[in-house]
């Protein structure tokens, strides 16, 4: 299978000479070949998007929304197929893949609803016989750059608000996961989305991503990926005065207080630390535990980890799938070595799995370190794999301080039965998302998604907040007095 770009409603061969293979991380199977695009391909896509946007902006928002209802319906109809492709391409276990596709369906229906809301404001004018209001206006062509770990959900977080608001887009999916983009393009086509509203260009970030950011007709860049790449995107976008929305890395923590339900905390940690093999931006990478319950938590965590079956995510009984590729595997393993050198105590795991059914895949054992120093590299840097570090604290204040000590600020969680502690924590934890008595993952699409500090630059995906990225506020004054009225002077 060869994947081509989707530009102006047709499938077009990329101009580059090189191909890249899409590999199943569970077993190395070649799933597809993708021809890499050039700067010229990006120009073609932007041209098609720009042309289409003029008409698209004039389609009433409730009519634009009808396409999203149809896209949502088709995604629902194809949910199992999409989930199977997602697991094959990205590796996450099938139950989670179904959850991710559901997130896309939810986003389609939610954003379709925005087609009949998209509220502005009407306010009284300070002058007689004058009307004042603000409306959300589409921006134009927007550029979307997405990572491989949520190849369909993140695409929907960005593209659906963009199109309901009257923009058209050029999307560069992650090189590792083009098949989900291809599947979504087929759905756009089947839903009858007008040509040029959705455009997909496959290829390397350094070529396609950079060309999108530098193109004068791309007005917004919405990026999700690592903090390193995001910094580059922001720098380049800044030079071109682009509106740049960044969702980047995390180093999320679960706080377990001495009054917590420890069994529940263990369940929350297992799900958020090892789900998606730890490759979620919101994955729990640190457990900040009160000294009085540390031993109990360690014991119960070790006990529960025995049930974590590792393997190909298409097997319904498997709980932990592979990590995305060899490079990721090596990075995870290097952090385990760093942890050991830093004096952290390895409780369980710490190995690449290579034998038997793991031979051709990229599998890492779920790994737990304890007695980790809060300021060590293991506790400060994003690993993006199934590795969790236990850090001991003596009070809620100390727990919050440790939580906030990292350069990221995406998600945090506290397990406690004390309402006073919970409310202090939700106020003082410096993250964009806070969970109480649940792990660090599990965002719902109708709330803003994003983080503080090194995780973001003040924008949010998802929720109504996403519309802020893809619209400009326009203030409109209508004077029906029939004479010149000067604000601040004639009243
Ligand atoms: P990445 O930064 O390597 O790549 C992200 C995207 O940027 C890809 O499409 C890639 O091709 C593109 N890219 C690479 N170099 C580029 C360049 N020079 N110019 C423009 N684009 C370029 O990230 P990844 O490995 O795909 O994803 C994992 C990272 O994403 C983790 O750090 C994770 O925390 C983060 N993430 C964040 C969120 C969030 O919402 N905060 C969600 C998911 C993942």
């Amino acid at each position: 299978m060869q994947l081509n770009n989707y530009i102006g409603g047709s499938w077009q061969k990329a101009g580059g000479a090189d191909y890249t293979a899409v590999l199943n991380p569970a077993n190395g199977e070649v799933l597809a070949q993708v021809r890499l695009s050039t700067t010229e391909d990006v120009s073609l896509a932007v041209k098609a998007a720009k042309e289409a946007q003029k008409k698209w902006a004039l389609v009433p928002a409730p009519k634009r929304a009808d396409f999203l209802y149809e896209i949502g319906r088709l995604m629902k109809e194809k949910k199992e197929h999409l989930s199977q492709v997602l697991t094959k391409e990205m590796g996450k276990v099938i139950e989670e893949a179904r959850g991710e596709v559901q997130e896309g369906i939810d986003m389609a229906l939610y954003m379709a609803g925005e087609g009949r809301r998209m509220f502005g404001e009407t306010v009284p004018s300070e002058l007689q016989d004058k009307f004042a209001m603000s409306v959300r206006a589409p921006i134009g062509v927007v550029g979307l750059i997405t990572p491989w770990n949520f190849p369909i959900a993140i695409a929907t977080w960005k593209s659906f608000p963009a199109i309901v608001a009257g923009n058209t887009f050029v999307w560069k999916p992650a090189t590792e996961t083009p098949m989900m983009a291809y599947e979504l393009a087929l759905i756009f086509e089947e839903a009858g989305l007008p040509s040029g509203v959705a455009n997909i260009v496959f290829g390397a970030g350094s070529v396609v991503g950079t060309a999108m950011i530098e193109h004068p007709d791309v007005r917004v860049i919405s990026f999700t990926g690592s903090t390193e790449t995001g910094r580059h995107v922001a720098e380049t976008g800044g030079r071109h005065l682009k509106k740049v929305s960044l969702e980047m890395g995390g180093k999320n923590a679960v706080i377990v207080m001495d009054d917590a339900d420890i069994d529940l905390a263990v369940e929350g940690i297992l799900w958020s630390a090892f789900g998606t093999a730890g490759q979620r931006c919101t994955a729990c990478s640190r457990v900040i535990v009160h000294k009085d319950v540390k031993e109990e938590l360690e014991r119960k965590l070790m006990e529960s980890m025995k049930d974590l079956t590792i393997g190909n995510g298409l097997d319904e009984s498997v709980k932990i799938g592979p990590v995305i590729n060899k490079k990721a595997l090596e990075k995870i393993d290097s952090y385990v070595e760093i942890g050991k050198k830093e004096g952290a105590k390895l409780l369980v795991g710490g190995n690449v799995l290579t034998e038997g059914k793991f031979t051709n895949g990229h599998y890492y054992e779920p790994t737990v370190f304890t007695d980790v120093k809060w300021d060590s590299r293991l506790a400060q840097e994003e690993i993006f794999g199934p590795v969790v570090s236990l850090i001991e604290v003596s009070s809620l204040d100390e727990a919050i301080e440790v939580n906030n000590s990292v350069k990221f600020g995406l998600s945090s969680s506290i397990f406690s039965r004390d309402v006073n502690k919970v409310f202090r924590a939700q106020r003082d934890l410096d993250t964009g998302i806070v969970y109480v008595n649940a792990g660090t993952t599990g965002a719902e699409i109708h709330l803003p998604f994003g983080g503080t500090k090194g995780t973001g630059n003040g924008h949010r995906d998802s929720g109504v907040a996403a519309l802020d990225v893809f619209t400009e506020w326009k203030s409109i004054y209508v004077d029906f007095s029939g004479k010149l009225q000067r604000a601040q002077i004639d009243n």
Side-chain angles (χ1 to χ4, degrees):
M1 183 182 192
Q2 189 189 309
L3 303 182
N4 290 321
N5 291 336
Y6 184 64
I7 298 178
S10 68
W11 300 93
Q12 300 186 16
K13 220 175 211 180
D18 296 333
Y19 285 85
T20 177
V22 184
L23 303 175
N24 183 337
N27 54 22
E29 171 197 5
V30 177
L31 300 171
Q33 296 285 347
V34 185
R35 191 152 152 157
L36 298 180
S37 301
T38 62
T39 304
E40 183 54 28
D41 295 313
V42 173
S43 295
L44 289 174
V46 175
K47 191 162 175 260
K50 193 179 176 191
E51 204 47 45
Q53 203 266 332
K54 289 180 209 151
K55 279 194 193 153
W56 185 241
L58 297 179
V59 176
K63 295 271 181 287
R64 296 195 292 253
D66 284 346
F67 290 100
L68 286 182
Y69 282 121
E70 181 58 8
I71 289 167
R73 191 192 67 75
L74 287 167
M75 287 176 75
K76 202 167 174 183
E77 194 179 286
K78 297 170 197 292
K79 181 172 172 182
E80 190 53 30
H81 167 71
L82 293 170
S83 309
Q84 298 274 334
V85 176
L86 174 46
T87 292
K88 278 190 196 158
E89 182 181 46
M90 185 274 158
K92 68 178 60 175
V93 299
I94 189 70
E95 190 187 19
E96 290 180 32
R98 290 183 189 122
E100 181 177 342
V101 175
Q102 186 58 46
E103 202 170 331
I105 298 166
D106 295 343
M107 196 66 194
L109 302 186
Y110 176 70
M111 274 301 153
E114 280 310 304
R116 285 189 184 270
R117 279 188 295 266
M118 224 176 287
F119 299 128
E121 286 180 320
T122 56
V123 292
S125 165
E126 64 186 44
L127 291 158
Q128 195 179 325
D129 294 337
K130 195 171 175 185
F131 186 82
M133 64 181 165
S134 64
V135 296
R136 285 189 186 275
I139 303 182
V141 178
V142 302
L144 315 178
I145 302 176
T146 54
W148 49 264
N149 68 332
F150 278 86
I152 195 158
I154 292 178
T156 68
W157 290 359
K158 296 180 188 301
S159 61
F160 294 172
I163 59 181
V164 81
N167 306 284
T168 55
F169 68 84
V170 178
W171 169 26
K172 194 213 87 64
T175 330
E176 296 82 352
T177 50
M179 290 178 74
M180 288 319 290
Y182 168 73
E183 294 289 341
L184 209 49
L186 290 177
I187 288 175
F188 292 153
E189 215 177 21
E190 195 174 339
L193 194 67
S195 302
V197 172
N199 303 277
I200 300 172
V201 181
F202 297 112
S206 55
V207 178
V208 175
T210 305
M212 278 167 56
I213 305 165
E214 291 182 340
H215 198 295
D217 289 333
V218 177
R219 302 266 302 271
V220 177
I221 292 288
S222 175
F223 166 87
T224 298
S226 64
T227 300
E228 254 176 7
T229 312
R231 193 183 304 279
H232 166 78
V233 170
E235 281 170 3
T236 315
R239 272 203 305 281
H240 294 270
L241 297 180
K242 295 286 160 74
K243 182 175 184 181
V244 177
S245 165
L246 304 171
E247 301 296 342
M248 301 174 285
K251 187 71 184 177
N252 317 291
V254 166
I255 295 173
V256 184
M257 292 308 297
D258 47 351
D259 56 25
D261 177 338
I262 301 297
D263 294 321
L264 182 62
V266 165
E267 279 191 67
I269 293 165
L270 284 182
W271 174 236
S272 57
F274 303 126
T276 324
Q279 302 169 109
R280 294 180 181 181
C281 49
T282 51
C284 164
S285 186
R286 300 176 294 157
V287 174
I288 302 169
V289 56
H290 193 282
K291 61 178 176 23
D292 293 351
V293 290
K294 180 176 167 249
E295 249 183 63
E296 183 187 355
L297 184 80
E298 280 175 4
R299 181 169 41 79
K300 290 186 166 169
L301 196 56
M302 294 312 93
E303 193 52 39
S304 308
M305 284 179 66
K306 289 182 188 148
D307 299 333
L308 296 177
T309 331
I310 308 167
N312 188 327
L314 285 178
D315 177 342
E316 302 271 352
S317 68
V318 162
K319 295 274 183 280
I320 301 187
V323 299
I324 189 72
N325 52 30
K326 188 158 180 274
K327 199 170 148 212
L329 203 62
E330 285 167 0
K331 180 179 173 193
I332 296 162
D333 204 40
S334 76
Y335 271 100
V336 168
E337 288 311 309
I338 289 168
K340 287 181 197 160
K341 282 195 192 117
E342 285 177 333
K345 185 173 152 201
L346 183 63
L347 277 185
V348 64
N351 294 302
V352 178
L353 297 167
T354 51
E355 305 289 312
K357 66 176 180 178
F358 303 122
T359 314
N360 295 315
H362 308 297
Y363 294 93
Y364 206 87
E365 273 184 326
T367 301
V368 180
F369 278 102
T370 191
D371 298 334
V372 177
K373 294 191 190 78
W374 68 269
D375 58 350
S376 61
R377 286 187 65 191
L378 193 61
Q380 292 283 322
E381 297 175 15
E382 187 180 47
I383 302 171
F384 225 54
V387 179
V388 70
S389 297
L390 268 55
I391 304 166
E392 181 185 307
V393 292
S394 308
S395 66
L396 178 63
D397 284 342
E398 192 184 351
I400 292 171
E401 207 172 308
V402 168
N403 178 80
N404 293 349
S405 69
V406 295
K407 68 180 179 188
F408 306 101
L410 185 52
S411 179
S412 56
S413 125
I414 177 163
F415 282 85
S416 169
R417 291 178 169 116
D418 180 337
V419 69
N420 295 356
K421 283 184 190 145
V422 162
F423 268 78
R424 274 178 52 212
Q426 61 82 17
R427 181 193 63 197
D428 296 339
L429 290 166
D430 189 1
T431 52
I433 305 168
V434 176
Y435 291 92
V436 175
N437 292 326
T440 53
T441 60
E444 298 178 30
I445 58 99
H446 44 297
L447 267 74
F449 185 96
T452 63
K453 301 190 284 185
T455 296
N457 64 343
H459 296 285
R460 291 290 184 270
D461 273 342
S462 225
V464 183
L467 288 176
D468 292 336
V469 175
F470 299 110
T471 54
E472 294 275 13
W473 281 112
K474 185 177 277 187
S475 300
I476 302 167
Y477 303 93
V478 182
D479 193 317
F480 52 98
S481 70
K483 60 184 184 212
L484 174 69
Q485 297 198 88
R486 298 170 302 172
Q488 293 93 38
I489 296 171
D490 291 334
N491 52 1

